[in-house]
Coordinates of all heavy atoms in Angstrom, one line a residue:
M1 N 0.8 -1.2 0.0 CA 0.0 0.0 0.0 C 0.9 1.2 0.0 O 1.9 1.3 0.7 CB -0.9 -0.1 1.3 CG -1.7 1.1 1.4 SD -3.1 0.9 0.4 CE -4.5 1.5 1.3
A2 N 0.6 2.2 -0.8 CA 1.3 3.5 -0.9 C 0.3 4.6 -0.9 O -0.7 4.6 -1.5 CB 2.2 3.5 -2.1
E3 N 0.7 5.7 -0.1 CA -0.1 6.9 -0.1 C 0.8 8.1 0.2 O 1.8 7.9 0.9 CB -1.2 6.8 0.9 CG -0.8 6.4 2.3 CD -1.9 6.0 3.2 OE1 -2.5 5.0 3.0 OE2 -2.1 6.7 4.2
T4 N 0.4 9.3 -0.4 CA 1.2 10.5 -0.2 C 0.3 11.5 0.4 O -0.8 11.7 0.0 CB 1.7 11.0 -1.6 OG1 2.6 10.0 -2.1 CG2 2.6 12.2 -1.4
H5 N 0.9 12.3 1.4 CA 0.2 13.3 2.1 C 1.1 14.5 2.3 O 2.3 14.4 2.6 CB -0.2 12.8 3.5 CG -1.1 11.6 3.4 ND1 -2.5 11.7 3.3 CD2 -0.9 10.3 3.5 CE1 -3.0 10.5 3.2 NE2 -2.1 9.6 3.3
P6 N 0.5 15.7 2.2 CA 1.3 17.0 2.5 C 1.2 17.3 4.0 O 0.2 17.0 4.6 CB 0.6 18.0 1.7 CG -0.8 17.5 1.7 CD -0.8 16.0 1.6
F7 N 2.3 17.8 4.5 CA 2.3 18.2 5.9 C 3.0 19.6 6.0 O 4.0 19.8 5.4 CB 3.0 17.2 6.8 CG 2.3 15.9 7.0 CD1 2.7 14.9 6.2 CD2 1.3 15.8 7.9 CE1 2.1 13.6 6.3 CE2 0.6 14.6 7.9 CZ 1.0 13.5 7.2
R8 N 2.5 20.4 6.8 CA 3.1 21.8 7.1 C 4.2 21.6 8.1 O 4.2 22.3 9.1 CB 2.0 22.8 7.4 CG 1.0 23.0 6.4 CD 0.2 24.1 6.7 NE 1.0 25.3 6.3 CZ 0.5 26.5 5.9 NH1 -0.8 26.6 5.8 NH2 1.4 27.4 5.6
L9 N 5.1 20.8 7.9 CA 6.3 20.6 8.7 C 7.5 20.5 7.9 O 7.5 20.0 6.7 CB 6.1 19.2 9.5 CG 5.0 19.2 10.6 CD1 4.8 17.8 11.1 CD2 5.3 20.1 11.7
H10 N 8.7 20.9 8.4 CA 10.0 20.8 7.7 C 10.3 19.3 7.6 O 10.0 18.5 8.5 CB 11.0 21.5 8.5 CG 12.3 21.6 7.8 ND1 13.2 20.6 7.8 CD2 12.8 22.6 7.0 CE1 14.2 21.0 7.0 NE2 14.0 22.3 6.6
P11 N 10.9 18.9 6.4 CA 11.2 17.5 6.2 C 12.0 16.9 7.4 O 11.9 15.7 7.7 CB 12.0 17.5 4.9 CG 11.5 18.7 4.2 CD 11.2 19.7 5.3
D12 N 13.0 17.7 7.9 CA 13.8 17.1 9.0 C 12.9 16.8 10.3 O 13.2 15.8 11.0 CB 14.9 18.1 9.4 CG 15.9 18.3 8.4 OD1 16.0 17.4 7.5 OD2 16.7 19.3 8.4
E13 N 11.9 17.6 10.5 CA 11.0 17.3 11.6 C 10.2 16.1 11.4 O 10.0 15.3 12.3 CB 10.1 18.6 11.9 CG 9.2 18.3 13.0 CD 9.8 18.1 14.4 OE1 11.0 18.3 14.6 OE2 9.1 17.6 15.3
V14 N 9.8 15.9 10.2 CA 9.0 14.6 9.9 C 9.9 13.4 10.1 O 9.5 12.4 10.7 CB 8.5 14.6 8.4 CG1 7.8 13.4 8.0 CG2 7.5 15.8 8.2
A15 N 11.2 13.5 9.6 CA 12.1 12.3 9.8 C 12.3 12.1 11.3 O 12.3 11.0 11.7 CB 13.4 12.6 9.1
R16 N 12.5 13.2 12.0 CA 12.8 13.0 13.5 C 11.6 12.4 14.2 O 11.7 11.5 15.0 CB 13.0 14.4 14.1 CG 13.4 14.4 15.6 CD 13.7 15.8 16.1 NE 12.4 16.4 16.4 CZ 11.7 16.1 17.5 NH1 12.1 15.2 18.4 NH2 10.5 16.7 17.8
Q17 N 10.4 12.8 13.8 CA 9.2 12.3 14.4 C 9.0 10.8 14.0 O 8.6 10.0 14.9 CB 7.9 13.1 14.0 CG 7.9 14.4 14.6 CD 7.8 14.4 16.2 OE1 7.2 13.4 16.7 NE2 8.2 15.4 16.8
A18 N 9.4 10.4 12.8 CA 9.3 9.0 12.4 C 10.2 8.2 13.2 O 9.8 7.1 13.6 CB 9.6 8.9 10.9
R19 N 11.4 8.6 13.4 CA 12.4 7.9 14.2 C 11.9 7.6 15.6 O 12.1 6.6 16.1 CB 13.8 8.5 14.2 CG 14.5 8.4 12.9 CD 15.9 9.1 12.9 NE 16.4 9.3 11.7 CZ 16.4 10.4 11.0 NH1 15.9 11.5 11.5 NH2 16.9 10.6 9.8
L20 N 11.3 8.7 16.1 CA 10.8 8.6 17.5 C 9.6 7.6 17.6 O 9.5 6.7 18.4 CB 10.3 10.0 18.0 CG 11.4 10.9 18.4 CD1 10.8 12.3 18.7 CD2 12.1 10.4 19.7
F21 N 8.6 7.8 16.6 CA 7.4 7.0 16.7 C 7.6 5.6 16.3 O 7.3 4.7 17.1 CB 6.4 7.6 15.7 CG 5.1 6.9 15.7 CD1 4.2 7.2 16.8 CD2 4.7 6.0 14.8 CE1 2.9 6.6 16.8 CE2 3.5 5.3 14.8 CZ 2.6 5.6 15.8
F22 N 8.2 5.3 15.1 CA 8.4 3.9 14.7 C 9.6 3.2 15.4 O 9.4 2.1 15.8 CB 8.5 3.8 13.2 CG 7.3 4.2 12.5 CD1 7.2 5.5 11.9 CD2 6.2 3.3 12.4 CE1 6.0 5.8 11.2 CE2 5.0 3.7 11.7 CZ 4.9 4.9 11.2
G23 N 10.7 3.9 15.6 CA 11.8 3.3 16.2 C 11.8 3.2 17.7 O 11.9 2.1 18.2
E24 N 11.6 4.3 18.3 CA 11.6 4.3 19.8 C 10.3 3.8 20.5 O 10.3 3.0 21.3 CB 12.0 5.7 20.4 CG 13.5 6.0 20.0 CD 13.9 7.3 20.6 OE1 13.3 7.8 21.6 OE2 14.9 7.9 20.1
Q25 N 9.2 4.4 20.0 CA 7.9 4.0 20.6 C 7.5 2.6 20.3 O 7.0 1.8 21.1 CB 6.8 5.0 20.3 CG 7.1 6.4 21.0 CD 6.0 7.4 20.6 OE1 5.0 7.1 20.1 NE2 6.3 8.6 20.9
L26 N 7.5 2.3 19.0 CA 7.0 1.0 18.5 C 8.1 -0.1 18.5 O 7.8 -1.3 18.4 CB 6.4 1.1 17.1 CG 5.2 1.9 17.0 CD1 4.7 1.9 15.6 CD2 4.1 1.5 18.0
G27 N 9.4 0.3 18.6 CA 10.5 -0.7 18.6 C 10.7 -1.3 17.3 O 11.4 -2.4 17.2
L28 N 10.3 -0.7 16.2 CA 10.6 -1.2 14.9 C 12.1 -0.9 14.5 O 12.4 0.3 14.6 CB 9.7 -0.6 13.8 CG 8.3 -1.2 13.7 CD1 7.5 -0.4 12.7 CD2 8.4 -2.6 13.2
P29 N 12.9 -1.9 14.1 CA 14.3 -1.6 13.7 C 14.3 -0.6 12.5 O 13.6 -0.9 11.5 CB 14.8 -2.9 13.4 CG 14.0 -3.9 14.2 CD 12.6 -3.3 14.1
L30 N 15.2 0.4 12.5 CA 15.4 1.2 11.4 C 16.5 0.5 10.5 O 17.6 0.4 11.0 CB 15.9 2.6 11.8 CG 16.2 3.6 10.7 CD1 15.0 3.9 9.9 CD2 16.7 4.9 11.5
V31 N 16.1 0.0 9.4 CA 17.1 -0.7 8.5 C 17.6 0.1 7.4 O 18.6 -0.3 6.8 CB 16.4 -2.0 8.0 CG1 16.1 -2.9 9.1 CG2 15.2 -1.7 7.1
R32 N 17.0 1.2 7.1 CA 17.6 2.1 6.1 C 17.3 3.6 6.4 O 16.1 3.9 6.7 CB 17.0 1.8 4.7 CG 17.8 2.4 3.5 CD 17.4 1.8 2.2 NE 17.6 0.4 2.2 CZ 16.7 -0.4 1.7 NH1 15.6 0.0 1.2 NH2 16.9 -1.7 1.7
D33 N 18.3 4.4 6.4 CA 18.2 5.8 6.8 C 19.0 6.6 5.8 O 20.2 6.9 6.0 CB 18.7 6.1 8.2 CG 18.4 7.4 8.7 OD1 17.9 8.3 7.9 OD2 18.5 7.7 9.9
L34 N 18.4 7.0 4.7 CA 19.1 7.8 3.7 C 18.4 9.1 3.7 O 17.4 9.3 4.3 CB 18.9 7.1 2.3 CG 19.3 5.6 2.2 CD1 18.9 5.0 0.9 CD2 20.9 5.6 2.3
A35 N 19.0 10.1 3.0 CA 18.5 11.4 2.9 C 17.0 11.4 2.5 O 16.7 11.2 1.3 CB 19.3 12.3 2.0
G36 N 16.1 11.7 3.4 CA 14.7 11.7 3.1 C 14.0 10.4 2.9 O 12.8 10.4 2.5
F37 N 14.7 9.3 3.2 CA 14.0 8.0 3.1 C 14.4 7.1 4.3 O 15.5 7.0 4.6 CB 14.6 7.3 1.8 CG 14.0 5.9 1.6 CD1 12.8 5.8 1.0 CD2 14.6 4.8 2.0 CE1 12.2 4.6 0.8 CE2 14.1 3.5 1.8 CZ 12.8 3.4 1.2
L38 N 13.3 6.7 4.9 CA 13.5 5.8 6.1 C 12.7 4.5 5.9 O 11.6 4.5 5.3 CB 12.9 6.5 7.4 CG 13.5 7.9 7.7 CD1 12.6 8.5 8.7 CD2 14.9 7.7 8.2
R39 N 13.3 3.4 6.3 CA 12.6 2.1 6.3 C 12.8 1.4 7.6 O 13.9 1.2 8.1 CB 13.2 1.2 5.1 CG 12.4 -0.2 5.1 CD 12.9 -1.0 3.9 NE 12.4 -2.4 4.0 CZ 11.4 -2.8 3.2 NH1 10.9 -2.0 2.3 NH2 10.9 -4.0 3.3
F40 N 11.6 1.1 8.2 CA 11.5 0.3 9.4 C 11.0 -1.0 9.1 O 10.1 -1.1 8.3 CB 10.6 1.0 10.4 CG 11.0 2.4 10.7 CD1 10.6 3.5 10.0 CD2 11.8 2.7 11.9 CE1 11.0 4.8 10.3 CE2 12.2 4.0 12.2 CZ 11.8 5.0 11.4
E41 N 11.6 -2.1 9.6 CA 11.2 -3.4 9.2 C 11.4 -4.4 10.3 O 12.4 -4.3 11.1 CB 12.0 -3.8 8.0 CG 11.7 -5.1 7.4 CD 12.6 -5.4 6.2 OE1 13.2 -4.5 5.6 OE2 12.7 -6.6 5.8
D42 N 10.5 -5.4 10.4 CA 10.6 -6.5 11.3 C 9.9 -7.7 10.6 O 9.5 -7.6 9.5 CB 10.2 -6.3 12.7 CG 8.7 -6.1 12.8 OD1 7.9 -6.2 11.9 OD2 8.3 -5.7 14.0
V43 N 9.8 -8.8 11.3 CA 9.2 -10.0 10.8 C 7.7 -9.8 10.4 O 7.1 -10.6 9.7 CB 9.4 -11.3 11.6 CG1 10.9 -11.6 11.8 CG2 8.8 -11.0 13.0
H44 N 7.1 -8.8 11.0 CA 5.6 -8.6 10.8 C 5.3 -7.7 9.7 O 4.1 -7.6 9.3 CB 5.0 -8.0 12.1 CG 5.2 -8.9 13.3 ND1 4.6 -10.1 13.4 CD2 6.0 -8.7 14.3 CE1 5.1 -10.7 14.6 NE2 5.9 -9.9 15.2
G45 N 6.3 -7.0 9.1 CA 6.1 -6.1 8.0 C 7.1 -5.0 7.9 O 8.1 -5.1 8.5
F46 N 6.7 -4.0 7.2 CA 7.6 -2.8 7.0 C 6.8 -1.5 6.9 O 5.6 -1.5 6.6 CB 8.6 -3.0 5.8 CG 7.8 -2.9 4.6 CD1 7.7 -1.7 3.9 CD2 7.3 -4.1 3.9 CE1 7.0 -1.6 2.7 CE2 6.6 -4.0 2.7 CZ 6.5 -2.8 2.1
V47 N 7.6 -0.4 7.1 CA 7.1 0.9 6.8 C 8.2 1.7 6.2 O 9.3 1.8 6.7 CB 6.7 1.7 8.1 CG1 6.2 3.1 7.8 CG2 5.6 0.9 8.8
E48 N 7.9 2.2 4.9 CA 8.9 3.0 4.2 C 8.3 4.5 4.2 O 7.1 4.6 3.9 CB 9.1 2.6 2.8 CG 9.9 1.3 2.7 CD 10.2 0.9 1.3 OE1 9.7 1.5 0.4 OE2 11.0 -0.1 1.2
I49 N 9.1 5.4 4.4 CA 8.7 6.8 4.5 C 9.7 7.6 3.6 O 10.9 7.7 3.8 CB 8.7 7.4 5.9 CG1 7.8 6.5 6.8 CG2 8.2 8.8 5.9 CD1 7.9 6.8 8.3
D50 N 9.1 8.2 2.5 CA 9.9 9.0 1.6 C 9.4 10.5 1.8 O 8.3 10.8 1.6 CB 9.6 8.5 0.2 CG 10.5 9.2 -0.8 OD1 11.5 9.9 -0.4 OD2 10.3 9.0 -2.1
I51 N 10.4 11.3 2.2 CA 10.0 12.7 2.6 C 10.7 13.7 1.6 O 11.9 13.6 1.4 CB 10.6 13.0 4.0 CG1 10.1 11.9 5.0 CG2 10.2 14.4 4.5 CD1 10.9 11.9 6.3
R52 N 9.8 14.4 1.0 CA 10.3 15.4 0.0 C 9.9 16.8 0.5 O 8.8 17.1 0.8 CB 9.7 15.1 -1.4 CG 10.1 13.8 -1.9 CD 9.7 13.6 -3.3 NE 9.9 12.2 -3.8 CZ 11.0 11.8 -4.2 NH1 12.1 12.5 -4.3 NH2 11.1 10.5 -4.7
G53 N 10.9 17.7 0.5 CA 10.7 19.1 0.8 C 9.8 19.8 -0.2 O 9.9 19.5 -1.4
D54 N 9.0 20.7 0.2 CA 8.1 21.4 -0.6 C 8.3 22.9 -0.3 O 9.1 23.2 0.6 CB 6.6 21.0 -0.3 CG 5.7 21.1 -1.5 OD1 6.1 21.8 -2.5 OD2 4.6 20.5 -1.5
A55 N 7.5 23.8 -0.8 CA 7.7 25.2 -0.6 C 7.3 25.5 0.9 O 6.5 24.8 1.5 CB 6.7 26.0 -1.5
N56 N 7.9 26.5 1.4 CA 7.6 27.1 2.8 C 7.7 26.0 3.9 O 6.9 25.9 4.7 CB 6.2 27.6 2.8 CG 6.0 28.8 1.8 OD1 6.9 29.6 1.7 ND2 4.9 28.9 1.2
N57 N 8.8 25.3 3.8 CA 9.1 24.3 4.9 C 8.0 23.3 5.1 O 7.8 22.8 6.2 CB 9.4 25.0 6.2 CG 10.8 25.7 6.2 OD1 11.7 25.2 5.7 ND2 10.9 26.8 7.0
Q58 N 7.4 22.9 4.0 CA 6.4 21.9 4.0 C 7.0 20.6 3.4 O 8.1 20.6 2.9 CB 5.2 22.3 3.2 CG 4.5 23.5 3.8 CD 3.2 23.9 3.0 OE1 2.4 23.0 2.7 NE2 3.0 25.2 2.8
S59 N 6.3 19.5 3.6 CA 6.7 18.2 3.2 C 5.6 17.5 2.5 O 4.5 17.6 2.8 CB 7.2 17.4 4.4 OG 8.2 18.0 5.1
R60 N 6.1 16.7 1.5 CA 5.2 15.7 0.8 C 5.8 14.3 1.3 O 6.9 14.1 1.0 CB 5.2 15.9 -0.7 CG 4.6 17.2 -1.1 CD 4.2 17.2 -2.6 NE 3.2 16.3 -2.9 CZ 1.9 16.3 -2.6 NH1 1.4 17.3 -1.9 NH2 1.0 15.5 -3.0
V61 N 4.9 13.6 2.0 CA 5.4 12.4 2.6 C 4.7 11.2 2.0 O 3.4 11.1 1.9 CB 5.2 12.4 4.1 CG1 5.8 11.1 4.8 CG2 5.8 13.6 4.7
T62 N 5.5 10.2 1.4 CA 4.9 9.0 0.8 C 5.2 7.9 1.8 O 6.3 7.6 2.2 CB 5.5 8.7 -0.5 OG1 5.2 9.8 -1.4 CG2 4.9 7.5 -1.2
F63 N 4.1 7.2 2.1 CA 4.1 6.0 3.0 C 3.9 4.8 2.2 O 3.0 4.7 1.4 CB 3.1 6.1 4.1 CG 3.2 7.3 5.0 CD1 2.5 8.4 4.8 CD2 4.0 7.2 6.2 CE1 2.6 9.5 5.6 CE2 4.1 8.3 7.0 CZ 3.4 9.4 6.8
Q64 N 4.8 3.8 2.3 CA 4.5 2.5 1.8 C 4.7 1.5 3.0 O 5.6 1.7 3.8 CB 5.5 2.1 0.7 CG 5.3 2.9 -0.6 CD 6.1 2.4 -1.7 OE1 6.2 1.2 -1.9 NE2 6.7 3.2 -2.4
Y65 N 3.7 0.6 3.1 CA 3.8 -0.2 4.3 C 3.1 -1.5 4.1 O 2.3 -1.7 3.1 CB 3.1 0.5 5.5 CG 1.7 1.0 5.2 CD1 0.6 0.3 5.4 CD2 1.5 2.3 4.7 CE1 -0.7 0.7 5.1 CE2 0.3 2.8 4.4 CZ -0.8 2.0 4.6 OH -2.1 2.5 4.3
Q66 N 3.4 -2.5 4.9 CA 2.8 -3.8 4.9 C 2.7 -4.3 6.3 O 3.8 -4.4 7.0 CB 3.5 -4.8 4.0 CG 2.9 -6.1 4.0 CD 3.6 -7.1 3.0 OE1 4.5 -6.7 2.3 NE2 3.2 -8.3 3.0
G67 N 1.5 -4.5 6.8 CA 1.4 -5.0 8.2 C 1.3 -3.9 9.3 O 1.1 -4.2 10.4
Y68 N 1.4 -2.6 8.9 CA 1.4 -1.6 10.0 C 0.4 -0.4 9.6 O 0.7 0.7 9.8 CB 2.8 -1.0 10.2 CG 3.6 -2.0 11.0 CD1 4.5 -2.8 10.3 CD2 3.5 -2.1 12.3 CE1 5.3 -3.8 11.0 CE2 4.3 -3.1 13.0 CZ 5.2 -3.9 12.4 OH 5.9 -4.8 13.1
E69 N -0.7 -0.8 9.0 CA -1.7 0.2 8.6 C -2.1 1.1 9.7 O -2.1 2.3 9.5 CB -2.9 -0.5 7.9 CG -3.9 0.5 7.3 CD -5.0 -0.2 6.6 OE1 -4.9 -1.4 6.3 OE2 -5.9 0.5 6.3
Q70 N -2.5 0.5 10.8 CA -3.1 1.3 11.9 C -2.0 2.3 12.5 O -2.3 3.5 12.8 CB -3.6 0.5 13.0 CG -4.9 -0.2 12.7 CD -5.4 -1.1 13.8 OE1 -4.6 -1.5 14.7 NE2 -6.7 -1.3 13.9
E71 N -0.8 1.8 12.6 CA 0.3 2.6 13.1 C 0.7 3.7 12.1 O 0.9 4.9 12.6 CB 1.6 1.7 13.3 CG 1.4 0.8 14.4 CD 0.7 -0.5 14.1 OE1 0.2 -0.7 12.9 OE2 0.6 -1.4 14.9
V72 N 0.6 3.5 10.8 CA 0.9 4.6 9.9 C -0.2 5.6 9.9 O 0.1 6.9 9.9 CB 1.0 4.0 8.4 CG1 0.9 5.1 7.4 CG2 2.3 3.2 8.3
H73 N -1.5 5.2 10.1 CA -2.6 6.2 10.2 C -2.4 7.0 11.5 O -2.7 8.2 11.5 CB -3.9 5.5 10.1 CG -4.2 5.0 8.7 ND1 -4.3 5.8 7.6 CD2 -4.3 3.7 8.3 CE1 -4.5 5.0 6.6 NE2 -4.6 3.8 7.0
Q74 N -2.0 6.3 12.5 CA -1.8 7.0 13.8 C -0.7 8.0 13.7 O -0.8 9.2 14.2 CB -1.5 6.0 14.9 CG -1.3 6.6 16.3 CD -1.0 5.6 17.3 OE1 -0.9 4.4 17.1 NE2 -0.7 6.1 18.5
F75 N 0.4 7.7 13.0 CA 1.5 8.6 12.8 C 1.1 9.8 11.9 O 1.5 10.9 12.2 CB 2.7 7.8 12.2 CG 3.9 8.7 11.9 CD1 4.6 9.3 13.0 CD2 4.3 9.0 10.6 CE1 5.7 10.1 12.8 CE2 5.4 9.8 10.4 CZ 6.1 10.3 11.4
R76 N 0.3 9.5 10.9 CA -0.2 10.6 10.1 C -1.0 11.6 10.9 O -0.9 12.8 10.7 CB -1.0 10.1 8.9 CG -0.2 9.5 7.8 CD -1.0 9.1 6.6 NE -2.3 9.6 6.5 CZ -3.4 8.9 6.3 NH1 -3.4 7.7 6.2 NH2 -4.6 9.5 6.3
R77 N -1.9 11.1 11.8 CA -2.7 12.0 12.6 C -1.8 12.8 13.6 O -2.0 14.0 13.8 CB -3.6 11.2 13.4 CG -4.9 10.8 12.7 CD -6.0 10.2 13.6 NE -5.6 9.1 14.4 CZ -5.6 7.8 13.9 NH1 -6.0 7.5 12.7 NH2 -5.2 6.8 14.7
L78 N -0.7 12.2 14.1 CA 0.2 12.8 15.0 C 0.9 14.0 14.3 O 1.0 15.1 14.8 CB 1.3 11.8 15.4 CG 1.6 11.6 16.9 CD1 2.3 10.4 17.1 CD2 2.3 12.8 17.4
L79 N 1.3 13.7 13.0 CA 2.0 14.8 12.2 C 1.0 15.9 11.9 O 1.4 17.1 12.0 CB 2.5 14.3 10.9 CG 3.8 13.3 11.0 CD1 4.2 12.9 9.6 CD2 4.9 14.0 11.6
A80 N -0.2 15.6 11.6 CA -1.2 16.6 11.3 C -1.5 17.5 12.5 O -1.6 18.7 12.4 CB -2.5 16.0 10.8
E81 N -1.6 16.8 13.7 CA -1.9 17.6 14.9 C -0.7 18.5 15.2 O -0.9 19.6 15.7 CB -2.1 16.6 16.1 CG -3.4 15.9 16.0 CD -3.6 14.8 17.0 OE1 -2.7 14.6 17.8 OE2 -4.6 14.1 16.9
Q82 N 0.6 18.0 15.0 CA 1.8 18.8 15.3 C 1.8 20.0 14.4 O 2.1 21.1 14.8 CB 3.0 18.0 15.2 CG 4.3 18.8 15.5 CD 5.5 18.1 15.4 OE1 5.5 16.8 15.3 NE2 6.7 18.7 15.4
A83 N 1.5 19.8 13.1 CA 1.5 20.9 12.1 C 0.5 21.9 12.5 O 0.7 23.1 12.4 CB 1.3 20.3 10.7
E84 N -0.7 21.5 12.9 CA -1.8 22.4 13.2 C -1.4 23.2 14.5 O -1.6 24.4 14.5 CB -3.1 21.6 13.6 CG -4.2 22.5 13.9 CD -5.5 21.7 14.1 OE1 -5.8 20.7 13.4 OE2 -6.2 21.9 15.1
E85 N -0.7 22.6 15.4 CA -0.3 23.3 16.6 C 0.8 24.3 16.3 O 0.7 25.4 16.8 CB 0.2 22.3 17.7 CG 0.7 22.9 19.0 CD -0.4 23.7 19.7 OE1 -1.6 23.3 19.6 OE2 -0.1 24.7 20.4
E86 N 1.7 23.9 15.5 CA 2.8 24.9 15.1 C 2.2 26.0 14.3 O 2.7 27.2 14.5 CB 3.9 24.1 14.3 CG 4.7 23.2 15.2 CD 5.8 22.6 14.5 OE1 6.2 23.0 13.3 OE2 6.4 21.7 15.1
T87 N 1.2 25.7 13.4 CA 0.6 26.9 12.7 C -0.1 27.8 13.6 O 0.0 29.0 13.5 CB -0.4 26.2 11.6 OG1 0.4 25.4 10.7 CG2 -1.1 27.3 10.8
R88 N -0.8 27.3 14.6 CA -1.5 28.1 15.6 C -0.6 28.9 16.4 O -0.9 30.1 16.7 CB -2.4 27.2 16.5 CG -3.5 27.9 17.1 CD -4.4 26.9 17.8 NE -4.4 25.6 17.2 CZ -4.7 24.5 17.7 NH1 -5.0 24.4 19.0 NH2 -4.7 23.3 17.1
Q89 N 0.5 28.4 16.8 CA 1.5 29.1 17.6 C 2.2 30.2 16.7 O 2.6 31.3 17.3 CB 2.6 28.2 18.1 CG 2.1 27.3 19.2 CD 3.2 26.3 19.7 OE1 4.3 26.3 19.1 NE2 2.9 25.5 20.7
G90 N 2.3 30.1 15.5 CA 2.9 31.0 14.6 C 2.0 32.2 14.3 O 2.5 33.3 13.8
E91 N 0.8 32.1 14.6 CA -0.1 33.3 14.3 C -0.1 34.4 15.4 O 0.2 34.2 16.5 CB -1.6 32.7 14.2 CG -1.8 31.8 13.0 CD -3.2 31.2 13.0 OE1 -4.0 31.4 14.0 OE2 -3.5 30.6 12.0

């Protein structure tokens, strides 16, 4: 499954949050960490995150995953909430 979503967050912040959420909180091993591309994987499946910078410190994030649908959706909600909060604070 693959899906792309825009977020009003800097690409580095998206990557940092992904490492925290999938790596530290869920305990998924980070098996690939390239510029703007992260892959977490274990015997139950994988999550790939491709982060591309967009205008005004925004990001276009493509998720590919197998076996972690609920976790990816939860992470997307987390990013959206963080972006909303940062936008509110900037006003």
Side-chain angles (χ1 to χ4, degrees):
M1 177 79 141
E3 51 190 67
T4 301
H5 300 276
F7 293 99
R8 297 192 77 149
L9 294 170
H10 190 276
D12 292 342
E13 179 61 15
V14 174
R16 187 182 79 76
Q17 289 296 334
R19 287 184 196 97
L20 285 172
F21 183 82
F22 291 103
E24 291 184 23
Q25 291 180 13
L26 296 180
L28 281 172
L30 178 62
V31 296
R32 195 166 303 133
D33 189 351
L34 306 171
F37 180 83
L38 304 166
R39 181 180 172 101
F40 301 88
E41 180 179 346
D42 67 8
V43 296
H44 303 291
F46 69 89
V47 176
E48 289 183 351
I49 303 171
D50 189 7
I51 307 162
R52 299 189 189 278
D54 210 344
N56 299 322
N57 287 328
Q58 296 184 44
S59 303
R60 295 196 64 71
V61 183
T62 301
F63 298 93
Q64 291 191 42
Y65 52 89
Q66 181 177 353
Y68 287 99
E69 182 175 349
Q70 290 180 335
E71 290 82 355
V72 168
H73 291 296
Q74 181 180 358
F75 180 65
R76 283 184 19 229
R77 281 191 303 275
L78 232 163
L79 288 180
E81 289 169 5
Q82 180 180 349
E84 183 179 315
E85 180 63 28
E86 287 184 14
T87 299
R88 202 171 328 152
Q89 288 177 357
E91 294 176 351

